[in-house]
Amino acid sequence: MSKIRCQCGHENPFGTVLCERCGRPQTEEAKKSKLIDMRYEGSARRSQTYKKSIIDKVWNFFSSVKIGVSIIIAVLTTSAIGTLFPQKLFVPVVREVDIAAYYEKYYGTAGVLYYKLGFYDMYNSWWFITLIGMLGISIIVASIDRVVPLYKSLKKQRTKRHVSFLRRQRIYGFGSVEDADGSMAKAEEKLKALRYNIKAEDGALLAEKGRFSRWGPYVNHTGLIIFLLGVLLRGLPGFYVDETLWLREGETRSLPGAPGYYLKNNEFIIDTYSKGEDEVFGEAIDRVGTIVKNYQSDVTLYKEAEGGLPGQSEQLEFVKDYSIIVNKPLNFDGYNVFQMDYRLDELKSMTFSLTEKASDTSLGEFTVDLINPESIYRLGEDTYVELKDFYPDYDGTEDGKPKSKSPVPNNPAFIFKMVTPDKPAGEMSFVAIRSTLETEPNDYKAKFVSAETRDTTGLVIRKDKTLYILLVGGIIFMIGVAQGSYWNHRRIWIQEGEGNELFLAGHTNKNWFGLKEDLDKVKDFANLPLYEDRQDTESSMDEVKGDNS
Amino acid sequence: MELASLSANLLLVSFVAYLIATMFFGGAVKGSNSEATYKNNRWGNIAIVITIIGFITHLGYFVLRWIASGHVPVSNMFEFTTAFGMMVVGAFILLFFIYRTPSLGLFALPLAIIIIGYASMFPRELAPLIPALQSYWLTVHVITAAIGEAILAISAVAGLVFLLKNVDLTKLSKQRFWLESVMFTLILVVGFILSASTFAAMGYEAKFTYITQSEQQAQIVYNYPPLFGMNEYESLTPDKMTPFAEMPAIVNGKTLTTLVWSVATGTVLYLLLRLVLRRPVATLFQPFAKKANSQVMDEIGYRSVLIGFPVFTLGALIFAMIWAQEAWSRFWGWDPKEVWALITWLFYAAYLHLRLSRGWEGKKSAWLAVIGFIIIMFNLIAVNLIIAGLHSYA
């Protein structure tokens, strides 16, 4: 690819539209057009220059803004569809078959379609991740394609430009003034007062302001890429822990995902707003009913003793007491423990009395711990109750045998073998809440006396090493987007022509009204020729063609 | 309670102030002949002063309510929407002082009025904060997000003025159809306000029990004559109207009833207007847009996106993620409200890229701004009331 030699003698890279040095148009198209396209300063962009090989084609595909915007629209549209029905993780069933059935049951044909097309778990679907990946590549390629030539040409730009460059600017003025040199000097003074950077040479003046805003888009794209990388890292082991723990009052358990740490639930508390204390909210409390004020788990954190055997929960060192409430997680060693859920009044233990049916006399009471039941409860020398079988969450029978739905004691049932001095062989009895079954009529029964309940707190344990990467990405994005949005890159060229003639041209990347305000001030002060905004205001605004890339 | 009622009165004052200011902006637009008188019109000056007075009383409402309830008043539909209306006025004032164009006020203030009217249809009493909202991030996140959305809304107002001026309403065209649809939608909101306040004034209430999706019994109170019943409903107020049809558990019969009443009222209102006017309703507003300079409107549309987009990003995405990380243990959970904030953000990102690189200016960009506002409103209204999620507090 040969270099392009401009009339001014400067050698431009192949593909250049406007000469890097004097600004003369280099392509036939640019020579013919009334207004030149100042985007990327008419520099040679790779995507506009090389179009042959596969690499060129892939590069050009991803560098295209049209493709970028299409990807954005695709992400946006599919995301919107994904909110029509709840996502998989909000559906109260787990098995894939049940999930399919759930969508069919509640959302009919639309639900079936939603499930089949993968929208029920779309944010983890391969095609959504592919779209995000393409977006990332597009951001990188499109930015590199533009920022490098843009940087080079802005750095190289000369103060004096060829008249054909000035004449093709949107803001352009030409005319004779009384004293060209005096006007130039006054313009320089005023532009300095307006905080422009001035460069002057040989009857030409370039006033420039806010160039750094041109880098805004590239800075914010960098932030986005860092953010996306952070998200990607979460897939690697060790970067990300997400576990749940149900902890009953009084229980101490090891924290899943945080080896060596143990947590004890001392108490779980729910407070509600009361009309007495929170008088101003009386009306709302009347209308809605109960409004929760606080969920709180009072916990104690322990650590395994140094040198102790792993998994040995006897040797625990106290770390700290803490009250976990919503919005105030427990923090330690990079981990966070959040208050997420709760269950109230779970059965803790049940107390029975071994009773002789005929006389209704008790031979003694025994208490079954529903989490760690014992196998034998001794009541006297020849009197004991043996727990033959235990069903914490009794759910009817299957093939003649009782079964348990879960290990949580929601509906406990027991098979007791009651051994008494009268019946040394023992009597068998199946005891569930509100029912007792006996294979043969017994003389004794286990009579329910009382039950103890407790609350269970639902905690989530998280560790996320990527958070800082995400935060850095977010901050860089914000800096870039502010830089690009709140500042403008304005340039004003003033050049002397023959005699007392002056050329005046202006360009800004946005906010033309601001540029014109500045120009008006300079024009009035320095007696410059009149200029015009050549983007015909009312008629040609609708279809201004951009570079269709 | 004293503070609360004073705060409510201040809100009423600002509502009236916005109404009066709109009329003065109308006078400013009507009475000006040249660009110069248009910019520095006496009517226009009075109008902006009244607007600012309204904004200050609105701010007074906000601050007093904050003191009365002890937390920032943005925690339910009424509070958030009222605050959003205030920020729309604030954003308008900001852009008015940059561009000095009365036409913008003539359309921005009625929008704020409709927003406040809509807000007042929701329960207005002071409500305590549920645990998830008890954080200073409520203040930071919600206020920043609302300011961002308000500035973006001004872009839609400028777009609307641009379109009213530049779309030929004398001939049938796609653009005329869509512009008229926008007008129709605005009238539907008025229909909702009218019907809701009528039945509220009558004190209409019909109580039902019904079976929820999780197969539990619950109670519900309708403030409209019930057209659609909840799943397996049973009336507790037999003297009131019986619903025409029963809905399955996934459809909220009450919401549907409200929707149908509002649409019906709005449609009747629209048809009456058409009958009186005998031409599209948009033509009624067109004369008020005629004096606006298209290029100024286009510039305002673009500028307000440029100003609003970073603020929106900060409030609705970054602060939101930080808070979500703290309250829900994950910065992003694909909750519908979050997803729609992302959709809004992506949409304006697309707007900026189209405008920067593909030269979408004028009508195209104005339409995009209007669509952007529709997305914002969808996130506020539909996502809160119809698509349930963690954010549905109202």
Side-chain angles (χ1 to χ4, degrees):
Chain A
M1 296 287 171
S2 56
K3 298 235 172 203
I4 302 172
R5 197 183 163 84
C6 177
Q7 279 169 278
C8 72
H10 183 74
E11 300 251 318
N12 291 296
F14 180 75
T16 302
V17 183
L18 303 173
C19 171
E20 289 170 336
R21 188 147 163 266
C22 70
R24 274 193 189 91
Q26 303 295 309
T27 61
E28 285 308 311
E29 204 189 330
K31 278 177 193 159
K32 265 183 260 162
S33 66
K34 204 174 136 203
L35 288 178
I36 44 176
D37 185 354
M38 286 290 285
R39 222 165 283 133
Y40 318 115
E41 305 291 307
S43 55
R45 280 164 54 201
R46 188 189 197 286
S47 63
Q48 303 301 302
T49 312
Y50 304 99
K51 297 177 176 174
K52 293 249 167 58
S53 72
I54 300 269
I55 295 171
D56 294 343
K57 285 195 172 133
V58 172
W59 180 271
N60 296 353
F61 177 81
F62 282 111
S63 84
S64 150
V65 171
K66 198 201 256 172
I67 296 296
V69 171
S70 307
I71 299 171
I72 292 178
I73 299 291
V75 174
L76 181 163
T77 317
T78 48
S79 299
I81 297 172
T83 62
L84 282 181
F85 303 136
Q87 286 290 305
K88 181 179 149 189
L89 84 165
F90 299 114
V91 168
V93 287
V94 184
R95 284 191 312 165
E96 206 67 10
V97 199
D98 298 335
I99 293 172
Y102 181 92
Y103 282 98
E104 186 167 4
K105 181 180 168 200
Y106 288 105
Y107 307 105
T109 323
V112 175
L113 206 63
Y114 198 76
Y115 178 81
K116 290 224 166 111
L117 293 177
F119 280 105
Y120 75 108
D121 191 18
M122 68 159 288
Y123 307 111
N124 295 315
S125 67
W126 63 269
W127 49 268
F128 191 74
I129 293 168
T130 309
L131 273 178
I132 299 291
M134 284 173 69
L135 190 62
I137 296 170
S138 166
I139 290 171
I140 297 173
V141 172
S143 303
I144 295 175
D145 191 60
R146 288 165 175 80
V147 72
V148 175
L150 180 67
Y151 177 78
K152 279 189 193 156
S153 48
L154 279 178
K155 214 177 163 196
K156 269 187 217 159
Q157 67 172 332
R158 289 275 299 275
T159 307
K160 188 160 181 142
R161 292 297 179 110
H162 192 254
V163 174
S164 62
F165 174 83
L166 301 180
R167 212 168 37 219
R168 285 181 173 84
Q169 293 299 323
R170 178 173 154 181
I171 301 282
Y172 174 69
F174 169 67
S176 291
V177 293
E178 281 173 21
D179 169 19
D181 288 333
S183 285
M184 289 286 278
K186 280 192 123 179
E188 190 175 338
E189 183 192 336
K190 187 71 184 172
L191 284 163
K192 261 189 192 144
L194 291 170
R195 279 191 275 165
Y196 278 80
N197 294 316
I198 314 280
K199 283 201 292 181
E201 70 168 41
D202 184 22
L205 189 145
L206 166 62
E208 192 178 10
K209 181 160 142 177
R211 190 199 281 183
F212 89 110
S213 91
R214 295 291 286 267
W215 317 126
Y218 311 105
V219 173
N220 80 44
H221 285 172
T222 308
L224 282 180
I225 291 298
I226 292 173
F227 188 91
L228 286 177
L229 277 180
V231 174
L232 211 65
L233 273 179
R234 294 157 72 80
L236 298 180
F239 274 95
Y240 186 53
V241 170
D242 176 12
E243 302 280 350
T244 44
L245 171 68
W246 285 94
L247 199 59
R248 300 179 174 93
E249 281 175 330
E251 259 184 341
T252 306
R253 278 171 177 261
S254 71
L255 275 170
Y261 284 102
Y262 289 77
L263 201 66
K264 182 177 181 203
N265 179 359
N266 301 316
E267 197 185 0
F268 176 75
I269 305 164
I270 289 190
D271 292 328
T272 53
Y273 287 97
S274 69
K275 283 172 76 175
E277 271 177 67
D278 314 283
E279 209 183 317
V280 284
F281 304 129
E283 218 180 309
I285 295 170
D286 282 343
R287 187 173 62 82
V288 187
T290 330
I291 303 172
V292 175
K293 191 175 188 172
N294 188 26
Y295 300 109
Q296 176 173 335
S297 301
D298 290 341
V299 296
T300 309
L301 180 70
Y302 295 101
K303 199 179 176 180
E304 243 164 33
E306 296 269 334
L309 288 171
Q312 268 197 337
S313 54
E314 291 87 37
Q315 295 170 293
L316 292 181
E317 280 173 3
F318 170 87
V319 180
K320 65 173 159 181
D321 282 324
Y322 192 78
S323 298
I324 304 177
I325 64 175
V326 179
N327 276 310
K328 267 179 75 187
L330 161 70
N331 306 317
F332 66 94
D333 193 19
Y335 293 92
N336 294 301
V337 182
F338 297 89
Q339 179 67 54
M340 291 304 281
D341 207 347
Y342 63 93
R343 279 198 295 256
L344 293 183
D345 300 331
E346 183 187 283
L347 283 169
K348 182 186 179 201
S349 63
M350 288 171 89
T351 303
F352 300 91
S353 103
L354 184 62
T355 309
E356 190 190 3
K357 285 185 188 171
S359 61
D360 199 27
T361 47
S362 171
L363 299 186
E365 292 186 353
F366 63 98
T367 300
V368 182
D369 184 320
L370 298 174
I371 302 304
N372 295 307
E374 287 162 43
S375 57
I376 289 185
Y377 299 88
R378 295 218 166 259
L379 301 175
E381 200 153 307
D382 300 316
T383 313
Y384 62 88
V385 176
E386 192 179 338
L387 181 60
K388 298 294 277 186
D389 228 328
F390 173 48
Y391 311 94
D393 198 0
Y394 173 57
D395 185 34
T397 52
E398 200 176 65
D399 305 330
K401 281 184 179 169
K403 65 183 170 77
S404 182
K405 206 161 52 178
S406 73
V408 182
N410 294 322
N411 184 26
F414 314 84
I415 294 178
F416 290 131
K417 183 179 171 191
M418 299 167 288
V419 179
T420 49
D422 295 1
K423 300 268 179 182
E427 292 176 322
M428 300 292 279
S429 171
F430 175 82
V431 178
I433 290 174
R434 284 180 215 210
S435 81
T436 305
L437 287 174
E438 297 168 354
T439 35
E440 297 153 25
N442 291 339
D443 291 348
Y444 292 89
K445 65 174 179 181
K447 189 176 155 195
F448 172 75
V449 178
S450 64
E452 214 184 315
T453 61
R454 58 182 164 183
D455 303 333
T456 306
T457 183
L459 302 171
V460 161
I461 300 106
R462 290 268 172 136
K463 180 176 187 169
D464 198 340
K465 285 188 186 165
T466 65
L467 282 182
Y468 291 101
I469 304 177
L470 301 179
L471 193 65
V472 167
I475 290 170
I476 293 178
F477 176 83
M478 277 316 298
I479 292 171
V481 83
Q483 183 181 343
S485 304
Y486 298 147
W487 281 270
N488 323 296
H489 179 215
R490 296 175 185 170
R491 272 175 297 173
I492 294 168
W493 295 272
I494 307 171
Q495 276 175 220
E496 287 183 53
E498 305 275 309
N500 275 330
E501 283 174 343
L502 276 184
F503 294 95
L504 175 68
H507 183 262
T508 178
N509 59 340
K510 57 186 175 290
N511 190 5
W512 291 82
F513 282 79
L515 176 71
K516 283 191 264 178
E517 261 176 39
D518 282 357
L519 256 180
D520 286 337
K521 284 178 199 154
V522 179
K523 182 176 73 82
D524 293 344
F525 183 78
N527 187 27
L528 298 178
L530 285 176
Y531 68 90
E532 55 173 340
D533 179 350
R534 295 150 85 206
Q535 191 137 311
D536 198 355
T537 47
E538 297 283 344
S539 59
S540 68
M541 289 185 56
D542 296 343
E543 302 283 332
V544 181
K545 278 192 91 79
D547 70 334
N548 277 7
S549 54
Chain B
M1 282 323 280
E2 276 307 294
L3 275 180
S5 63
L6 181 58
S7 147
N9 287 335
L10 283 179
L11 182 61
L12 193 66
V13 171
S14 45
F15 186 83
V16 174
Y18 298 151
L19 274 173
I20 298 170
T22 306
M23 287 178 224
F24 274 94
F25 276 124
V29 171
K30 277 239 131 157
S32 60
N33 301 316
S34 69
E35 185 84 354
T37 58
Y38 173 79
K39 273 198 167 180
N40 290 311
N41 184 292
R42 199 154 56 91
W43 289 75
N45 290 338
I46 297 171
I48 191 69
V49 169
I50 299 174
T51 309
I52 291 171
I53 292 172
F55 182 72
I56 291 170
T57 52
H58 207 156
L59 211 59
Y61 143 82
F62 190 77
V63 171
L64 289 186
R65 196 177 168 94
W66 192 333
I67 297 169
S69 68
H71 60 81
V72 60
V74 290
S75 64
N76 59 29
M77 267 305 247
F78 166 72
E79 290 182 339
F80 178 81
T81 315
T82 320
F84 178 62
M86 173 174 84
M87 286 156 192
V88 168
V89 176
F92 156 68
I93 293 172
L94 172 79
L95 282 145
F96 182 87
F97 280 107
I98 302 179
Y99 292 97
R100 288 258 163 203
T101 160
S103 305
L104 193 67
L106 190 53
F107 288 86
L109 288 183
L111 181 71
I113 290 169
I114 291 180
I115 290 172
I116 299 167
Y118 175 80
S120 331
M121 297 304 114
F122 291 90
R124 270 173 284 177
E125 77 271 341
L126 296 177
L129 288 183
I130 59 166
L133 295 182
Q134 294 166 9
S135 166
Y136 58 86
W137 284 107
L138 173 70
T139 316
V140 178
H141 153 64
V142 181
I143 288 185
T144 322
I147 292 175
E149 288 180 348
I151 301 171
L152 293 172
I154 296 299
S155 160
V157 174
L160 198 62
V161 177
F162 184 95
L163 291 171
L164 278 172
K165 175 167 178 173
N166 290 290
V167 172
D168 183 1
L169 293 175
T170 58
K171 285 188 299 231
L172 264 177
S173 69
K174 256 193 221 161
Q175 298 212 30
R176 183 179 99 163
F177 171 79
W178 287 115
L179 200 53
E180 189 66 5
S181 304
V182 171
M183 294 296 148
F184 178 65
T185 314
L186 288 172
I187 292 172
L188 288 189
V189 181
V190 176
F192 166 72
I193 297 170
L194 272 183
S195 56
S197 42
T198 309
F199 287 117
M202 288 163 56
Y204 191 94
E205 263 187 20
K207 254 188 208 166
F208 295 91
T209 59
Y210 69 103
I211 306 297
T212 64
Q213 213 172 328
S214 47
E215 282 158 24
Q216 271 158 353
Q217 204 183 35
Q219 269 197 23
I220 197 161
V221 181
Y222 282 55
N223 303 102
Y224 279 92
L227 304 172
F228 303 93
M230 305 291 286
N231 182 38
E232 296 179 39
Y233 68 88
E234 267 171 55
S235 179
L236 298 173
T237 43
D239 54 318
K240 295 282 159 53
M241 187 181 141
T242 327
F244 292 124
E246 186 186 314
M247 291 292 114
I250 57 157
V251 179
N252 185 324
K254 182 185 171 183
T255 312
L256 193 61
T257 299
T258 310
L259 189 73
V260 171
W261 271 109
S262 314
V263 170
T265 316
T267 311
V268 169
L269 204 64
Y270 176 78
L271 290 176
L272 279 176
L273 265 173
R274 283 298 294 250
L275 213 65
V276 175
L277 290 172
R278 303 196 164 275
R279 60 197 157 95
V281 175
T283 58
L284 184 66
F285 300 101
Q286 194 166 37
F288 296 106
K290 275 290 174 209
K291 295 263 169 62
N293 178 324
S294 301
Q295 214 171 1
V296 175
M297 283 304 148
D298 186 55
E299 174 95 12
I300 294 174
Y302 180 37
R303 194 81 188 278
S304 41
V305 173
L306 278 177
I307 300 174
F309 184 73
V311 182
F312 179 81
T313 311
L314 190 67
L317 292 174
I318 294 184
F319 288 161
M321 283 193 227
I322 297 175
W323 187 14
Q325 178 67 36
E326 229 174 85
W328 296 324
S329 81
R330 82 286 179 291
F331 64 91
W332 195 258
W334 299 109
D335 174 69
K337 192 101 188 175
E338 289 174 355
V339 178
W340 277 93
L342 178 67
I343 290 170
T344 311
W345 184 80
L346 286 172
F347 181 85
Y348 282 102
Y351 170 103
L352 288 172
H353 283 92
L354 286 170
R355 180 128 192 159
L356 285 166
S357 302
R358 300 189 28 84
W360 279 37
E361 294 179 7
K363 277 185 196 159
K364 281 182 184 170
S365 145
W367 275 117
L368 287 181
V370 171
I371 296 169
F373 182 65
I374 292 171
I375 295 177
I376 290 175
M377 285 295 104
F378 184 86
N379 200 1
L380 173 61
I381 298 169
V383 174
N384 267 38
L385 302 183
I386 299 168
I387 306 176
L390 291 170
H391 275 82
S392 304
Y393 302 121

